[in-house]
């Protein structure tokens, strides 16, 4: 393939073609989105259209029609490329020549002060990529810069990877940098293999890699992610006691389901605290009394009547808890395996980790929660919602453990001392909605990063017991909590560091913004 044959521009006709694809692939969903637009609900319509349009083969062409790389710099430290032998190497060398980047045979040959660009044969640089890299090297303390990429298929650009900021947990399962990274030359870097040089550079640096959010590489192939083994190897005897907190009101059927699931959970020491928010159903009250009597030391019922305030209910229970770890758990969670809690607990004990969240599925098997993305809908949304777990989705992200901005408290594990260090859930600003998001963001600020762990998978019968906030009082409360989230955390302009500015803010599915 010749460099000059990379076709990178779309045209105006791709947008109607994308709409036609969306109508053909999902006619009912397309009709719903169109109806919301006709009604003038533009934000809701965009949220429905975004994942439909992104499924079209024309979606990236629409984005390309308005792509504009910022200007780079013609001066700066020397950039020296390394290209391993292989098919397509001639095209790679031609693209480097067009960008005035010389090629060397071994990283050890690089002069002090230069930067290394290890590439795979067949991959080519975008026009202007070297100038952008040079500009970035002039103003960074990082030793590694990396960019976004797409695939070249018959000379046409497709399959973009708009990447997250540096995510060490994700990188452990998916090398999304090798072949698209610029490395500061140093004596410890030897050889020409892109992946090996990258890992040596990461090990030698005390600075995190820096992301340049532009498509600077056109690739013939990418390293595939390594789906993590399940179950995670866990030393259960070394796990500390966990206090499991379950707020509830009535619905004895749900309580039986969740406590039966806890009885089947393989964990050495648990304390279960059910916070009863004014149950008045005789069957529920009788069951609570009988359940507590079975094991008074580990089965605790805390009466907490009054208006429903999820934050206050959980905070009250945590103050009574004795476990080193706390698991916040909704009463409408269904366990589908015995190892979920041990997996989450082991992750929560890591010194750099704050809140750990599980993968939650709807009863029909689609994803309900795979981490939280800030800024979606100018607020916060559940990543990959409605995606089926067996499909690839956005580069298999929903199947890989990784750091996220927040996780849902429907099933969340955190060290009790860290929960208390940030004063727990915010009862005043977030009585019901967004309290988990706010908690995670405050933990993150302390250096305790939220972690999504898909090897812990459960079913969430979302809002079964409490219902949705469609009454005027509930709607007004939600509006106030949404306003507080925007005010405190600036979500109307915030770009989640694990998301990307070129991904749509109108949908929880990772979709190219159109």
């Amino acid at each position: 393939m010749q460099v000059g044959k990379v076709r990178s521009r779309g045209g105006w006709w791709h947008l109607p073609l994308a709409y036609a694809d969306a109508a053909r692939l999902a006619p009912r969903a397309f009709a719903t989105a169109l109806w919301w637009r006709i009604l003038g609900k533009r934000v809701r319509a965009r949220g429905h259209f975004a994942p439909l349009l992104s499924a079209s083969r024309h979606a990236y062409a629409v984005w390309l029609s308005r792509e504009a790389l910022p200007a780079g710099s013609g001066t700066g430290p020397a950039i020296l490329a390394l290209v391993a032998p292989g098919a397509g190497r001639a095209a790679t060398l031609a693209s480097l020549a067009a960008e005035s980047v010389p090629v060397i045979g071994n990283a050890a040959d690089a002069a002090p002060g230069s930067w290394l660009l290890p590439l795979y044969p067949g991959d080519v640089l975008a026009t202007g990529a070297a100038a952008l890299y040079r500009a970035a090297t002039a103003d960074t303390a990082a030793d590694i810069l990396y960019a976004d990429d797409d695939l070249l298929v018959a000379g046409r650009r497709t399959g973009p990877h708009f990447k997250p900021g540096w995510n060490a947990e994700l990188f452990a399962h998916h090398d999304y940098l090798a072949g698209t990274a610029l490395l500061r030359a140093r004596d410890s870097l030897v050889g020409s293999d892109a992946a090996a040089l990258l890992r040596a550079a990461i090990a030698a640096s005390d600075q995190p890699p820096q992301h340049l959010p532009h498509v600077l590489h056109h690739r013939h192939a990418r390293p595939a992610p390594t789906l993590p083994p399940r179950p995670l190897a866990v030393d259960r005897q070394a796990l500390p006691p966990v206090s499991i907190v379950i707020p509830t009101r009535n619905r004895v059927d749900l309580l039986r389901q969740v406590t039966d699931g806890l009885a089947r959970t393989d964990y050495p020491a648990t304390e279960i605290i059910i916070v009863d928010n004014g149950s008045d159903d005789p069957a529920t009250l009788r069951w609570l009394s009988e359940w507590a009597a079975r094991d008074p030391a580990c089965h605790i019922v805390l009466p907490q009547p009054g208006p429903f305030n999820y934050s206050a209910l959980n905070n009250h229970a945590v103050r009574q808890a004795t476990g080193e770890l706390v698991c916040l758990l909704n009463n409408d969670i269904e366990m589908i395996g015995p190892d979920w809690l041990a997996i989450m607990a082991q992750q929560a004990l890591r010194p750099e980790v704050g809140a750990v969240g599980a993968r939650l599925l709807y009863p029909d098997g689609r994803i309900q929660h795979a981490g939280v993305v800030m800024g979606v809908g100018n607020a916060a949304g559940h990543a990959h919602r409605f995606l089926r777990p067996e499909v690839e989705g956005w580069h298999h992200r929903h199947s890989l453990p990784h750091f996220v901005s927040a996780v849902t408290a429907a099933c969340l594990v955190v060290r009790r001392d860290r929960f208390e260090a940030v004063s727990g859930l915010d009862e005043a600003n977030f009585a019901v909605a967004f309290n988990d998001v706010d908690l995670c963001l405050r933990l993150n600020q302390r250096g305790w990063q939220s972690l999504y762990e898909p090897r812990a998978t459960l079913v969430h019968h979302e809002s079964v017991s409490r219902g949705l906030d469609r009454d005027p009082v509930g709607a007004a409360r939600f509006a106030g909590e949404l306003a507080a989230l925007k005010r405190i955390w600036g979500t109307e302009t915030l770009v989640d560091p694990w998301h990307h500015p070129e991904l749509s803010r109108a949908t929880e599915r990772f979709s190219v913004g159109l």
Side-chain angles (χ1 to χ4, degrees):
M1 185 200 69
Q2 300 298 313
V3 176
K5 291 186 178 180
V6 176
R7 297 188 289 277
S8 61
R9 289 287 179 244
W12 64 267
W13 59 87
H14 286 289
L15 186 56
L17 290 174
Y19 275 96
D21 272 355
R24 176 178 56 84
L25 294 170
R28 293 184 64 180
F30 184 87
T32 300
L34 186 61
W35 177 244
W36 287 122
R37 179 166 291 178
I38 292 170
L39 292 178
K41 304 292 187 181
R42 300 181 66 179
V43 173
R44 187 170 296 181
R46 282 199 300 271
H48 281 75
F49 271 125
L52 301 178
L53 294 173
S54 70
S56 167
R57 59 195 175 93
H58 297 283
Y60 190 43
V62 175
W63 183 89
L64 287 172
S65 68
R66 61 174 186 269
E67 179 191 28
L69 289 178
S73 172
T75 62
I79 295 178
L80 306 172
L82 298 108
V83 185
R89 190 172 190 267
T92 306
L93 295 178
S95 82
L96 290 167
E99 291 291 300
S100 301
V101 177
V103 179
I104 60 175
N106 192 297
D109 299 331
S114 61
W115 288 72
L116 300 171
L117 184 61
L119 299 177
Y120 290 108
D123 293 358
V124 300
L125 286 181
T127 300
L132 275 173
Y133 272 133
R134 289 189 186 100
T137 62
D139 186 30
T140 184
D143 298 310
I144 302 164
L145 304 172
Y146 68 97
D148 302 328
D149 62 64
D150 57 18
L151 295 174
L152 282 176
V153 178
R156 189 174 297 277
R157 293 172 59 184
T158 187
H161 191 178
F162 296 122
K163 302 175 184 179
W166 172 242
N167 193 315
E169 187 71 16
L170 178 63
F171 182 77
H173 304 280
H174 184 192
D175 181 351
Y176 60 97
L177 273 65
T180 62
L182 189 67
L183 317 176
R184 194 187 298 271
R186 58 176 71 213
D187 292 342
S188 59
L189 301 185
V190 178
S192 62
D193 180 75
L197 285 170
L198 172 66
R199 292 186 180 276
I202 291 173
S205 178
D206 59 359
Q207 297 292 322
Q210 179 181 328
H211 180 212
L212 303 182
H214 307 291
V215 179
L216 301 187
H217 298 261
H218 310 313
R219 315 193 68 177
H220 77 293
R222 296 187 180 109
T226 302
L227 299 183
R230 191 181 189 282
L232 178 67
V234 176
D235 180 4
R236 283 167 172 73
Q237 299 310 309
L239 294 173
V242 176
S243 295
I244 302 169
V245 176
I246 308 171
T248 193
R249 185 177 190 276
N250 295 323
R251 294 305 302 264
V252 66
D253 55 328
L254 294 178
L255 285 171
R256 284 198 187 100
Q257 177 175 265
V258 73
T259 56
D260 287 350
L262 290 172
R264 296 191 301 269
T265 296
D266 182 10
Y267 198 87
T270 59
E271 169 187 72
I272 305 172
I273 304 175
I274 295 179
V275 193
D276 181 21
N277 185 218
S279 292
D280 54 11
D281 168 52
T284 300
L285 293 172
R286 183 169 57 253
W287 183 90
L288 285 170
S289 177
E290 293 171 353
W291 175 82
R294 289 179 210 156
D295 188 350
C298 297
H299 290 185
I300 301 165
V301 177
L302 288 181
Q304 190 75 354
F308 180 73
N309 184 317
Y310 182 86
S311 295
L313 295 174
N314 280 283
N315 287 345
H316 176 63
V318 173
R319 284 192 290 270
Q320 319 301 316
T322 62
E324 181 179 333
L325 298 175
V326 168
C327 173
L328 305 184
L329 192 67
N330 278 17
N331 68 345
D332 53 0
I333 293 291
E334 178 183 351
M335 289 72 183
I336 55 179
D339 59 349
W340 64 275
L341 184 56
I343 291 170
M344 296 177 72
Q346 178 160 292
Q347 297 285 36
L349 291 172
R350 291 166 51 180
E352 74 275 24
V353 170
V356 178
R359 177 167 62 181
L360 301 182
L361 307 179
Y362 286 110
D364 67 2
R366 294 178 300 166
I367 291 173
Q368 189 264 337
H369 168 268
V372 171
V373 178
M374 302 304 301
V376 168
N378 291 332
H382 285 187
H384 316 289
R385 192 198 293 261
F386 302 125
L387 193 70
R388 298 208 69 87
E390 63 270 16
V391 305
E392 177 181 351
W394 188 254
H395 304 281
H396 294 283
R397 183 89 67 88
H398 64 87
S399 298
L400 304 173
H402 59 278
F403 294 127
V404 291
S405 287
V407 294
T408 179
C411 182
L412 179 157
V413 175
V414 64
R415 289 177 58 132
R416 182 162 56 90
D417 57 353
R418 294 184 176 179
F419 183 89
E420 293 169 341
V422 297
S423 301
L425 300 171
D426 186 337
E427 303 175 17
N429 289 302
F430 304 108
V432 177
F434 306 120
N435 40 56
D436 43 11
V437 174
D438 173 74
L439 171 71
C440 289
L441 293 176
R442 286 184 282 117
L443 288 165
N444 298 348
Q445 284 183 329
R446 295 286 194 97
W448 303 320
Q449 188 61 51
S450 304
L451 177 71
Y452 162 66
E453 178 48 90
R455 285 168 289 195
T457 298
L458 305 96
V459 174
H460 186 194
H461 301 263
E462 187 177 32
S463 300
V464 168
S465 61
R466 195 176 58 83
L468 301 174
D469 296 316
R470 289 175 177 157
D471 63 282
V473 173
R477 177 200 49 72
F478 178 82
E481 292 167 339
L482 176 59
L485 185 74
K486 293 178 177 179
R487 181 184 73 253
I488 295 170
W489 295 106
T491 58
E492 290 184 292
T493 56
L494 177 67
V495 176
D496 192 305
W498 317 124
H499 204 236
H500 195 287
E502 297 298 338
L503 293 175
S504 174
R505 294 169 63 89
T507 175
E508 292 161 308
R509 301 277 283 273
F510 283 42
S511 304
V512 176
L514 301 181

